[in-house]
Amino acid sequence: MSIGGALAFCEFFSLTERNTLYLYNRTYVWYTIAHEYRLKGGGDRYGKGGTTMDRQTELTKEQQYTAHVQQLLLAVVERSRDYSQGHLGSIRALLADAWEELRLKPTALSVQDMEQLSAEVDRFLARKTLTDNLAKRYEAMLMNPFFARVDFQEDGAKEKEKIVIGLYSLKDTDGEILVHDWRAPVCSLYYDAMPGTVSYESPSGEIRGQMTLKRQYKMENGRLKYYVDTDVGIDDEMLLDILSGATSRHIRQIVSTIQEEQNRAIRYANVRLLSVIGGAGSGKTSVAMHRAAFLMYRHRDHLDAKRIAILSPSNSFSEYISTVLPELGEENAAAVTLNKITSEILGQKVEIPLLQTEALLDESNVLRRESVRYKSGEAFLNRMRGFVAEFARKGPAFEDVALSGNTLVTGAELTRMYRTDYKLLSPALRITRIQTVLDSRLEQWEKSLYAQYEKQLISSYRGKDLEMATRFAVSHRLQPVRQQIRKMLDVRMPLLYVDALKGAPEELIVAARENAAAGCVWWEDAVGIAYLALVTGHGNAMLIDLVGSRTLYVLIYIGA
């Protein structure tokens, strides 16, 4: 039986016998749709109001609509798979032709031909990836094509619009939207509003109208089990029904159970930094992941998973949240720990939080407990901010650079360059500009010294030997100058951090100095040192989309 014939066969039986035939991975499975589901305490579970016959008729219509959507989904999946195989065949044909040409004549393909071949293969691979993702997306919808519906009539419109909501949007061959993506503006009505006068924000402005129906669907094994019409939020019993089967070692998508407050946080627009505060188990993590999916949907032209980083408290947490974005049809964003970020900024390993915890549990380690206590308060943060402002204003301790009575640059000139000439730049860029100026002046010194030493050594050396001997003499003569410049301009963050601790207990300053010398970074110091690196321009800034439970100090460091 052809796919088209199977779909027609499926539609015939779903309309006449109220049974559903599913074609899934070319396997035919029969499901008999049950029609009686009761709420606790009596009442029909497929709707409110009307007679039992009316509710039965409405349920049948919804089941038919479900079957129709599943047929279209199946068609899209099969068509996407066919396209994918076609792209794969094109790649194989390209490579086979190229191999045949090379087999007959190894020099048949020029460098330009190979580059063109590579570009064509990449193009077909991109198309194949796109169709594979499309098939995977709609295949995931087959067993649960949608979860809600609202009927909305815009002010001034003659007819009401049926808005069926699912994970992704689906259109029929005529371009009519059968299922709306849950992130579409109109779908916010389901999460935020009750039947009556409503409005929602769209790209063209506020849309007002009347919501005449708010309905929730319960799917089970690919079939519509029942629906509930509600005048409030998500039906409590349906919510419990859904959540009772949600146990997993991974967090799951919650698009069908998002509450009004959660939806407000997910869709909150025109803000650079959004903070969501709630107790344990209140859904902060789910909100963050769904907000990431919403932002990628809304700003698809310039925002994708590669430009989002998830700040995770641990690798196990990263694994826990790893399935949410793929379930929502988006590429997974990179999840990194604060420890890893800090290590990359500093260019060295730092103490892992577990070792810090072990040190704090050691009753004899009074120094570490004092260190954490002192560096976790807002007073220390303010002290660090003050130090950064002072360093940005004054810069390093500049001094005269001279050699044998000849001055390369004075300390006053360096100070003027840092505080006046380049004051609009970050401290790191100011120092880089100063280094460029000094390198240029040193180059002139090198040329002058080279000519002097060449005259002195020409009697002893010839050719390349003379050149090497002269360069060695010049390098040796300028070595003290280069060392002085390097020491003055090489701002090492651990040592700068020691300077920032001025006014702290002496034992903490001594410990920081010893750690800097040994290349050791305590965890409570790592974030502070990285903070200095970022705000002075010596570190790489990162986009953080999700923040776990952190101290104020860490949050300020992230915002740096």
Side-chain angles (χ1 to χ4, degrees):
M1 182 184 296
S2 67
I3 295 176
L7 294 178
F9 186 67
C10 171
E11 182 175 9
F12 173 79
F13 273 90
S14 67
L15 290 174
T16 58
E17 302 295 333
R18 293 202 296 270
N19 293 299
T20 305
L21 172 67
Y22 292 93
L23 174 60
Y24 187 71
N25 289 335
R26 301 189 181 277
T27 301
Y28 299 89
V29 183
W30 281 99
Y31 291 110
T32 301
I33 298 178
H35 299 294
E36 297 295 335
Y37 297 94
R38 302 290 181 181
L39 288 168
K40 290 182 179 179
D44 294 311
R45 195 162 182 172
Y46 35 71
K48 293 182 180 180
T51 66
T52 302
M53 182 62 69
D54 292 337
R55 292 194 297 270
Q56 177 62 59
T57 301
E58 183 66 14
L59 178 62
T60 301
K61 290 180 180 179
E62 293 286 19
Q63 291 166 346
Q64 293 170 359
Y65 190 85
T66 303
H68 178 56
V69 169
Q70 288 171 321
Q71 292 162 17
L72 288 177
L73 287 170
L74 182 59
V76 173
V77 170
E78 292 293 332
R79 186 167 61 250
S80 298
R81 287 175 176 168
D82 290 342
Y83 287 156
S84 177
Q85 288 300 314
H87 297 323
L88 184 60
S90 298
I91 294 173
R92 289 172 174 167
L94 284 171
L95 295 178
D97 291 344
W99 175 254
E100 183 64 20
E101 290 187 42
L102 290 173
R103 187 181 67 83
L104 297 175
K105 186 179 180 181
T107 60
L109 298 179
S110 64
V111 174
Q112 292 79 7
D113 292 332
M114 295 298 292
E115 290 178 349
Q116 182 178 355
L117 175 63
S118 177
E120 291 181 2
V121 170
D122 288 342
R123 185 163 56 251
F124 279 112
L125 279 176
R127 293 174 181 173
K128 182 181 185 303
T129 300
L130 181 63
T131 53
D132 286 343
N133 290 340
L134 187 66
K136 187 181 300 183
R137 171 182 296 186
Y138 286 115
E139 189 174 9
M141 286 181 65
L142 276 170
M143 303 302 282
N144 192 11
F146 48 81
F147 57 85
R149 166 187 166 185
V150 295
D151 288 357
F152 174 72
Q153 185 169 2
E154 184 179 349
D155 289 347
K158 295 181 179 180
E159 297 181 355
K160 64 182 178 182
E161 186 178 1
K162 176 181 175 180
I163 311 296
V164 177
I165 306 171
L167 268 180
Y168 321 112
S169 61
L170 176 69
K171 296 181 179 180
D172 62 14
T173 54
D174 297 326
E176 180 182 354
I177 301 179
L178 299 182
V179 180
H180 291 70
D181 191 299
W182 68 276
R183 296 166 290 188
V186 69
C187 295
S188 64
L189 294 175
Y190 168 68
Y191 300 106
D192 295 340
M194 298 181 292
T197 301
V198 296
S199 65
Y200 68 91
E201 292 294 331
S202 74
S204 59
E206 185 181 41
I207 305 296
R208 293 180 173 274
Q210 296 291 319
M211 183 199 295
T212 59
L213 177 70
K214 182 174 183 179
R215 177 169 292 177
Q216 300 161 242
Y217 299 105
K218 170 61 177 176
M219 301 285 177
E220 189 173 280
N221 296 325
R223 55 183 174 172
L224 176 58
K225 184 177 179 182
Y226 61 84
Y227 69 83
V228 174
D229 293 341
T230 177
D231 295 332
V232 291
I234 297 175
D235 180 75
D236 288 342
E237 186 162 352
M238 177 176 280
L239 178 61
L240 292 174
D241 194 7
I242 294 172
L243 296 180
S244 64
T247 56
S248 170
R249 69 187 185 91
H250 293 98
I251 190 173
R252 309 303 298 269
Q253 56 88 2
I254 59 167
V255 293
S256 63
T257 59
I258 293 172
Q259 303 296 292
E260 181 179 351
E261 295 82 2
Q262 293 174 325
N263 185 60
R264 191 178 303 118
I266 290 171
R267 297 173 185 265
Y268 204 89
N270 302 323
V271 61
R272 290 178 57 85
L273 179 64
L274 179 66
S275 176
V276 179
I277 301 174
S282 59
K284 299 185 299 297
T285 300
S286 293
V287 165
M289 301 306 295
H290 286 70
R291 177 166 176 79
F294 172 76
L295 292 174
M296 284 188 277
Y297 172 85
R298 181 166 182 171
H299 306 288
R300 191 165 296 279
D301 291 341
H302 59 274
L303 180 63
D304 57 24
K306 296 181 180 64
R307 301 188 65 184
I308 293 179
I310 302 169
L311 181 57
S312 169
S314 64
N315 291 328
S316 59
F317 182 83
S318 300
E319 171 66 17
Y320 177 58
I321 64 174
S322 62
T323 62
V324 179
L325 288 177
E327 280 186 0
L328 295 172
E330 301 292 347
E331 185 180 350
N332 222 349
V336 293
T337 63
L338 184 60
N339 186 270
K340 182 178 180 181
I341 292 175
T342 306
S343 298
E344 291 179 354
I345 291 174
L346 298 182
Q348 66 179 105
K349 290 185 177 181
V350 302
E351 181 185 47
I352 62 175
L354 179 61
L355 293 181
Q356 182 201 54
T357 302
E358 291 180 353
L360 294 176
L361 292 175
D362 183 357
E363 295 183 358
S364 63
N365 202 335
V366 179
L367 177 62
R368 288 303 299 274
R369 288 196 291 275
E370 173 63 16
S371 175
V372 171
R373 185 199 63 77
Y374 181 80
K375 297 165 186 173
S376 297
E378 188 172 357
F380 181 68
L381 172 60
N382 292 333
R383 184 185 297 274
M384 292 286 289
R385 282 173 163 170
F387 175 81
V388 167
E390 186 72 5
F391 180 81
R393 188 178 66 84
K394 292 184 176 181
F398 295 113
E399 56 189 23
D400 295 348
V401 179
L403 178 67
S404 301
N406 297 315
T407 301
L408 181 71
V409 65
T410 65
E413 186 179 3
L414 290 173
T415 300
R416 176 184 55 79
M417 283 191 284
Y418 183 89
R419 299 182 184 181
T420 305
D421 296 351
Y422 307 132
K423 67 178 181 179
L424 297 181
L425 303 177
S426 69
L429 287 178
R430 291 185 231 178
I431 292 174
T432 300
R433 288 292 183 90
I434 292 173
Q435 181 71 63
T436 302
V437 171
L438 297 185
D439 287 342
S440 177
R441 296 186 183 183
L442 273 177
E443 187 177 351
Q444 298 301 318
W445 273 21
E446 282 182 344
K447 291 179 180 179
S448 177
L449 288 173
Y450 188 92
Q452 296 177 24
Y453 280 113
E454 189 177 41
K455 290 180 181 180
Q456 296 177 13
L457 297 172
I458 195 170
S459 59
S460 303
Y461 299 94
R462 291 289 186 276
K464 291 185 177 181
D465 290 339
L466 174 61
E467 180 181 354
M468 291 180 60
T470 303
R471 289 187 180 279
F472 178 80
V474 172
S475 175
H476 183 72
R477 180 72 183 278
L478 292 179
Q479 185 177 5
V481 176
R482 295 188 184 279
Q483 288 179 343
Q484 181 186 5
I485 294 174
R486 188 181 304 113
K487 182 179 179 181
M488 181 174 57
L489 299 183
D490 184 16
V491 181
R492 293 187 57 212
M493 289 300 107
L495 293 178
L496 189 64
Y497 182 69
V498 174
D499 294 339
L501 290 177
K502 183 179 180 181
E506 182 63 26
E507 60 270 20
L508 297 184
I509 298 177
V510 171
R513 187 178 294 112
E514 292 176 350
N515 287 342
C520 171
V521 180
W522 285 349
W523 179 230
E524 63 266 27
D525 293 327
V527 176
I529 300 173
Y531 173 78
L532 288 179
L534 288 177
V535 296
T536 59
H538 289 85
N540 295 320
M542 294 187 173
L543 170 64
I544 304 298
D545 188 72
L546 171 62
V547 181
S549 299
R550 299 291 177 187
T551 64
L552 175 64
Y553 184 39
V554 175
L555 294 177
I556 297 299
Y557 147 61
I558 292 171

